[in-house]
Structure formats: structure tokens, C-alpha cells
Amino acid sequence: MTDASEKDVEQAGAARTTQAAQAGAADGTRAAAPTKSPIVSVRHARKAFGSVPVLRDITLEVEPGEVVAIIGPSGGGKSTLLRCMTLLERLDGGDLAYGDLAVAADGVYGNKDVLARARSRFGLVFQNYNLFPHFSVLRNVMDAPVVVQRRDRAEVEAQARALIAKMGLEGNEDKVPCQLSGGQQQRASIARALAMNPEVMYFDEPTSALDPELTAEVLRVMRGLAAEHMTMVVVTHEMSFARDVADRVVFMDGGVIVEQGPADQVINHPRQERTRAFLAQREA
Amino acid sequence: MCGMLGSGFLVSLQIFSLTLLGALPLGLPVALARMSKVRPLAAIARFYISIMRGTPLMLQMFAIYFVPYYVFGVSLTTDSKWQATIVAFIINYAAYFAEIYRSGIQSIPRGQYEAAEVLGYSGGQTFFRIVLPQVVKRILPSITNEVITLVKDTSLAFSIGVIEMFTVAKQLVASQVSMLPFAIAAAFYWVFNLLIDALATRVERKLDYYHD
Ligand SMILES: Nc1ncnc2c1ncn2[C@@H]1O[C@H](COP(=O)(O)OP(=O)(O)OP(=O)(O)O)[C@@H](O)[C@H]1O
Ligand SMILES: [Mg+2]
């Protein structure tokens, strides 16, 4: 068992080392935590829209507590990858697993029950929030845990109020989304996803609909989650966020992972020409 | 005179209520069928809607009245006209409501479905908790329009010989050689529609707590 874990650490490579080092600096418990199997793993994933390949042999694993930033030019397949991982789209080929739950093997998906169990393990934050406009903030956060997970209403409400407060939205529980700023709506949608107690949170450009001030509010709560070792996969154009918060940065272009590694390495010392070109363009 | 018109109005009111009671719910499965991925089902629904909206309600009443007699040899009774009227009104209005529902359902952004899917809502839960309440708000003005049209359309039952308010008014006009019964009948329709309008405004205001 110990051998296997050590091998895992080796395989996961530099990213984990950095993560462990960072975590060690922030909080000593993390480095000592026993190695677990990946929370989610995608292997040799393929996906095409019609005859256009959008994902070409993508392999990605996310370890518990890891923050992975996915960057890359428009049309590179970042959203499609996230949509496949969140079961909004189906892979044409390859494997998808949540822990020991095999969701898709060689492009063949499990049954409804398997998909439902997989869905209970992740949360997704959309670029345009997609809050339910007819529900109050509190109801947006509470509804799925009560209706889908059939949890006790009082317990859910206590958790929901705590999450809303944690997102800096105290006092807005009874407002409806249209009464909130974009940044507040995005934070409410993060609370909604967290209320399902997911093992991993996905974010698809959570701040790109927001102006800089509101972006900062949202990034602040995301940093908070990272500090609590929430496992996160974030598609972002915010290079400073990727550099400062992510343990690992994945650069995607043309449906492939061109380069990945510790955030500092990929962003400050990219090895691939395409990554360099992309980053240079970003700075300009 | 007002008493006679009043009892005629009660008949109109019955046509009105029975039509809404039947057509408002029936429109939903028709709309869902129309949007179905099962091609034949969608085609049937599309054809049905096209006939209902493309031919006069009056002809539809006659068709429903006579078809059972000519095709199936069912003998016509005194109730047949009334039954044909109600059935024709329901299936005609269901087609209009179906199209309103469909436009409303299709106007809900895909992101709402995706958010619900990721949160694990079932198809039914998504429809009834997330989609339908938003659809109701969006289509309320169109539904109100249709309901107001229905109030006036009840007078079409006159053509098949159902004694509703307009029939009564016409008889009174003939026997009394006065246009007054028509004026009173018009007032009945108008006041009733004012009430509907007031009700619709109240509901709209109630749903005004959010916009999207
Ligand atoms: N539903 C779809 N149908 C057809 N083509 C699609 C669909 N969704 C995405 N694509 C195409 O797939 C490619 C990858 O799109 P994707 O949205 O994954 O890119 P992205 O990396 O998220 O880009 P961006 O930074 O602009 O969000 C693009 O060429 C896009 O046009
Ligand atoms: Mg995208």
C-alpha cells in the first residue's frame, strides 16, 4: 500500500511536490496527509463536434486538494473539457472516472445511477452564473440539497446561510439574483455549488463577465477556497490568479494539453513555443 | 330582459370555464409533443396545431358535431351540439395555448437547464421547479390575450344553436325591435373582460418580484 502511494506521488510529478511545498508553508498538515487516488481522472479523452476534433487525447488527473488552472487561447477546448468532465457533454472516446467510480470507459458511459453518483461529486460555476432567477439567494443555495440530495431542510438552511455569509453575501439571503451585482451573483452561484458538498469544484471563466472590481471579489473567495484545500479546476484568463493560486497550470491549445506543470514554471518559464507565444500575447 | 341575458351569460360563462379547464392543461402535452425529438409525434402535433389555427373555429364545431354522425353513425341527441361546442373550443384553444407554451419554454436559456443538470435535478424536477415557473411569468401577457379572445369567441356557439348570451340577445333584438339587448350583451362581455384584465394585472404584479 505504502509502495503504491509513493509511486503515485512520483507519477504525479513536480506538480504535487510544489503543491505539497506550498501547502507546507501555509499549513503543516497538508504535506503530511496520506496520498489519495485522484479525485477525477480523464484518460485519452477524445471529443469532436461533427467532423471537428475539439479534444484530442487529453489525459488529466486532479489530486485531492489540488488547484489546477487551465489556460489557453480561445477555441482551444477548455470549456469542452470542463463540460465533458461535468457530464454536460459526452466524450467520443477515452475514460472518465471520479475516484473509484468509472463514469466512462472507452467512450461508453455508465447508467443513469452512475452518472447521478458522479454528479454528486462535483460542482460547476458558470461564466454567466446561471442562478435561478425566480428563487431567492437562499433558495438558490438550498433547493438542490433539499430536493436532489433529500437532506434535512433545517440542516441545509444552516449550511446555506453559513456559505452565503462566507461568500460575503450576508443580508442578501432574501434577495433575488436580479437585485445583485454580477460579482454577488457569481459568489451566490459558488455558494450554490458548495452546498452540494462536492469533492471538486469546476469554474469556467468565472470572472470574465465581470469588471475588474467585481472580479477581485470573486477571486478573493476563490483564494479562500484554495486556502481551505478545496479541490478546484479553474479555466481562467486571469494569469495572476493562475500564478498565485494554482498548484498546477495546464496550457491547452488545439484540443491538446501542450504543456503543464507547476504554475511558476508554466507561466514564468514555459518550455513550449506555443505557450510562450500565448503568454507573450497576453502580456501585450 | 336582463334576466334572460343573464341566464344566456351563464351559458357563455360555462363555455368559457370549461374551455379554460380543458385547454390550459391540454396545451402542455401538445406543446411537449410539438417539441419532442420523436419525429412522428412532433409532426402529428404540428399538423394538429396547424389545422386548429388555420381553419375557423365555427367550422371545427360543425365538423365535431357532424363527423360522429356521418362517419360512425352515432345518432345526434339534444346534448350533441353542446358537447361538440365544448370539445371544439377545448381542442382549438389547446392548440393556441400549446404554441404559447412552446415559445415560452424555448425562451428559457440553456444555461438554466445546464445548471439544473449539474446540480442533479431530474428532468421532471427541472421542468416543474426551474423552467415552468419562469415560463408562466413570460407567457402571462399572451395567455391573458387569448383568454380575452375566448370570452368574445364564446358567442360563436350561436352558430351551432347553443343558447348562449349572444343567441339570447339576437332573439330579444328581433322580438323587441330594439338594439338595446345587443348593447347590454356588449356590456356583459366588456365588464367580464375588465375583470379578467384586473386579475391578470394582479398576477403579473405578483410575479414582478424578479426579472431576468
Ligand atoms: N456545441 C458545439 N457545437 C459545435 N462546435 C462547438 C461546440 N462547442 C464548442 N465548439 C467548438 O469547439 C472548439 C472548442 O471550443 P471551447 O468552447 O471548448 O473552447 P475554449 O477553449 O473554451 O475557448 P474560449 O476561451 O473562447 O472559451 C471551438 O472551435 C468551438 O467552436
Ligand atoms: Mg470557454
Side-chain angles (χ1 to χ4, degrees):
Chain A
M1 182 65 222
T2 321
D3 283 341
S5 317
E6 278 171 12
K7 223 184 250 163
D8 274 350
V9 173
E10 273 168 30
Q11 280 172 350
R16 278 202 60 80
T17 320
T18 318
Q19 177 208 338
Q22 282 186 354
D27 137 17
T29 59
R30 195 188 204 176
T35 309
K36 290 190 210 148
S37 56
I39 284 195
V40 57
S41 85
V42 177
R43 293 184 170 277
H44 306 297
R46 285 185 293 108
K47 169 83 185 166
F49 288 111
S51 60
V52 185
V54 175
L55 300 180
R56 301 191 286 189
D57 196 20
I58 298 280
T59 294
L60 182 70
E61 289 193 340
V62 181
E63 305 287 327
E66 199 181 9
V67 177
V68 176
I70 303 179
I71 62 171
S74 185
K78 307 181 295 295
S79 295
T80 305
L81 176 59
L82 234 52
R83 290 173 61 82
C84 287
M85 293 170 87
T86 54
L87 310 181
L88 289 173
E89 301 278 0
R90 294 204 166 195
L91 295 172
D92 299 332
D95 308 331
L96 171 64
Y98 279 89
D100 48 12
L101 181 70
V103 179
D106 233 351
V108 178
Y109 279 76
N111 60 24
K112 246 175 134 172
D113 179 56
V114 169
L115 300 187
R117 274 162 56 205
R119 280 195 190 97
S120 72
R121 301 201 182 181
F122 59 76
L124 172 62
V125 173
F126 298 83
Q127 179 178 340
N128 52 357
Y129 338 128
N130 290 334
L131 286 168
F132 303 129
H134 58 307
F135 285 174
S136 68
V137 169
L138 184 63
R139 179 120 187 252
N140 261 287
V141 179
M142 281 181 63
D143 200 65
V146 171
V147 172
V148 175
Q149 296 181 327
R150 298 179 188 209
R151 282 157 54 196
D152 175 64
R153 177 172 285 277
E155 174 243 332
V156 170
E157 179 167 345
Q159 185 197 10
R161 288 187 184 279
L163 281 171
I164 289 168
K166 188 170 155 189
M167 294 296 119
L169 291 171
E170 212 158 13
N172 294 294
E173 290 83 353
D174 297 325
K175 289 190 181 162
V176 281
C178 66
Q179 293 173 299
L180 304 180
S181 74
Q184 289 175 318
Q185 288 189 49
Q186 191 57 297
R187 285 179 281 142
S189 88
I190 295 172
R192 177 177 71 174
L194 288 171
M196 302 294 280
N197 298 321
E199 291 175 9
V200 51
M201 287 279 283
Y202 297 104
F203 298 78
D204 192 357
E205 302 194 31
T207 61
S208 54
L210 302 174
D211 61 37
E213 214 171 306
L214 302 183
T215 294
E217 297 175 352
V218 172
L219 293 182
R220 196 177 315 126
V221 304
M222 289 175 62
R223 278 170 209 266
L225 293 178
E228 293 171 15
H229 313 317
M230 183 78 216
T231 311
M232 302 199 279
V233 179
V234 186
V235 172
T236 185
H237 290 302
E238 298 286 335
M239 288 309 144
S240 59
F241 178 81
R243 181 167 35 217
D244 301 345
V245 183
D247 301 308
R248 177 156 52 118
V249 170
V250 172
F251 174 70
M252 268 184 87
D253 187 11
V256 297
I257 293 178
V258 174
E259 175 167 7
Q260 64 172 312
D264 173 67
Q265 182 210 304
V266 174
I267 292 180
N268 296 331
H269 312 284
R271 291 182 181 149
Q272 301 293 325
E273 186 47 46
R274 274 201 276 177
T275 318
R276 260 178 242 146
F278 170 75
L279 290 167
Q281 198 191 1
R282 283 261 123 203
E283 312 231 313
Chain B
M1 182 174 70
C2 273
M4 291 174 72
L5 282 170
S7 56
F9 180 68
L10 284 183
V11 176
S12 303
L13 201 60
Q14 270 183 47
I15 301 174
F16 173 81
S17 328
L18 290 174
T19 303
L20 284 189
L21 222 58
L24 281 173
L26 183 61
L28 195 55
V30 175
L32 296 177
R34 170 78 175 74
M35 291 183 291
S36 167
K37 283 189 199 105
V38 184
R39 291 262 175 112
L41 190 61
I44 291 170
R46 188 194 298 253
F47 179 70
Y48 161 72
I49 291 168
S50 159
I51 294 286
M52 288 299 138
R53 300 207 308 170
T55 62
L57 174 54
M58 206 191 291
L59 287 186
Q60 292 166 17
M61 278 191 313
F62 281 108
I64 287 168
Y65 180 54
F66 285 118
V67 161
Y69 174 69
Y70 282 113
V71 179
F72 305 108
V74 179
S75 57
L76 296 174
T77 67
T78 38
D79 282 340
S80 299
K81 284 177 176 171
W82 173 252
Q83 288 160 359
T85 303
I86 298 303
V87 171
F89 268 81
I90 289 176
I91 63 173
N92 176 279
Y93 269 83
Y96 283 93
F97 288 139
E99 282 299 272
I100 294 174
Y101 295 159
R102 180 174 70 95
S103 71
I105 291 169
Q106 289 179 339
S107 75
I108 302 300
R110 244 184 49 174
Q112 293 288 301
Y113 291 93
E114 293 186 345
E117 188 179 334
V118 169
L119 288 166
Y121 287 95
S122 69
Q125 288 168 338
T126 303
F127 186 72
F128 287 106
R129 303 184 74 81
I130 312 296
V131 176
L132 199 57
Q134 297 184 56
V135 167
V136 168
K137 178 181 162 89
R138 286 179 186 216
I139 65 176
L140 202 61
S142 316
I143 294 287
T144 305
N145 259 330
E146 218 49 62
V147 170
I148 284 174
T149 305
L150 171 61
V151 171
K152 297 174 288 180
D153 271 0
T154 56
S155 65
L156 286 174
F158 152 77
S159 62
I160 203 172
V162 168
I163 321 280
E164 45 64 69
M165 183 167 59
F166 183 73
T167 318
V168 175
K170 193 150 181 291
Q171 286 164 355
L172 286 170
V173 164
S175 65
Q176 303 194 350
V177 201
S178 153
M179 285 300 183
L180 190 61
F182 276 158
I184 295 174
F188 266 102
Y189 289 121
W190 181 56
V191 170
F192 189 56
N193 273 332
L194 282 181
L195 291 176
I196 288 171
D197 218 27
L199 180 69
T201 309
R202 271 185 65 161
V203 179
E204 270 173 51
R205 219 174 275 149
K206 221 177 149 156
L207 293 178
D208 216 21
Y209 71 93
Y210 79 93
H211 60 81
D212 38 26

